[in-house]
Amino acid sequence: AEGVHSIRKLEDGQFDLILCSYALYFFPEIIPDISRVLSDEGLFITITHSSENMSDLIEAAKEALKEKKMLSGQSLPIEGIIRRFSSENGLQLLSPWFGGIRSLNYPNDLVFLPHDLPRIVEYFRFKSPFFLSGTAYSPETVTGLLRRYLEKVFLVQNQFTISKDDAT
């Protein structure tokens, strides 16, 4: 209830296991505290995305916004969030605080066919707070623009693939 920064109030070495699933990119600044509250034999497991996670869908959303002159070369919030902690920079961010780091990659793609367009749109709608956090964009407006953009994509290609690569 106090939020992630309540970890700073915890005593040193009191946990044997800490799990962080798809969230460390929101607060990588607490990595030293995670290390501090872990016991000497403790284990920290984090699951995160690749920095390329959903890049296909991100680019489609950006192109849909650009077509309506609502975006000019800037990135979406999701891009900055994922870059804060990803499978590509995780070792660098963790290594000052942890020894014996092991990484496992889980390559994964979601492949959509033309008849799956409503599913892609629903997936984007579900993820829209992540994509559009802190922007003035209405999720419904962007979802509609994305739908129209993907309809054109499906006229040219028979599938749309979303990268969902993860790592522990």
Side-chain angles (χ1 to χ4, degrees), residues 131-155:
F131 273 73
L132 306 174
S133 173
T135 69
Y137 304 128
S138 154
E140 290 309 311
T141 298
V142 179
T143 300
L145 294 172
L146 179 65
R147 173 186 280 280
R148 288 188 285 286
Y149 177 82
L150 289 173
E151 286 170 349
K152 291 187 266 181
V153 167
F154 279 128
L155 290 175

Side-chain angles (χ1 to χ4, degrees), residues 36-145:
R36 179 185 58 77
V37 300
L38 235 108
S39 67
D40 289 342
E41 297 301 316
L43 183 63
F44 174 50
I45 299 173
T46 184
I47 304 169
T48 194
H49 296 297
S50 161
S51 61
E52 294 300 310
N53 181 59
M54 294 190 288
S55 61
D56 323 83
L57 189 58
I58 291 167
E59 289 306 312
K62 287 168 59 173
E63 289 300 319
L65 287 164
K66 286 178 187 175
E67 281 184 359
K68 294 296 182 183
K69 309 234 185 297
M70 295 174 65
L71 186 73
S72 58
Q74 58 200 55
S75 60
L76 292 175
I78 187 173
E79 295 173 274
I81 292 168
I82 291 177
R83 279 192 300 264
R84 293 185 72 205
F85 185 89
S86 67
S87 60
E88 289 79 7
N89 68 5
L91 178 62
Q92 175 189 353
L93 293 170
L94 294 171
S95 62
W97 309 102
F98 297 94
I101 298 172
R102 290 184 304 177
S103 179
L104 300 171
N105 292 315
Y106 300 97
N108 189 7
D109 289 330
L110 300 175
V111 179
F112 296 92
L113 301 176
H115 68 273
D116 295 319
L117 180 59
R119 290 184 176 151
I120 303 172
V121 171
E122 186 56 36
Y123 181 73
F124 180 82
R125 184 176 287 117
F126 172 73
K127 293 286 189 180
S128 66
F130 198 40
F131 273 73
L132 306 174
S133 173
T135 69
Y137 304 128
S138 154
E140 290 309 311
T141 298
V142 179
T143 300
L145 294 172

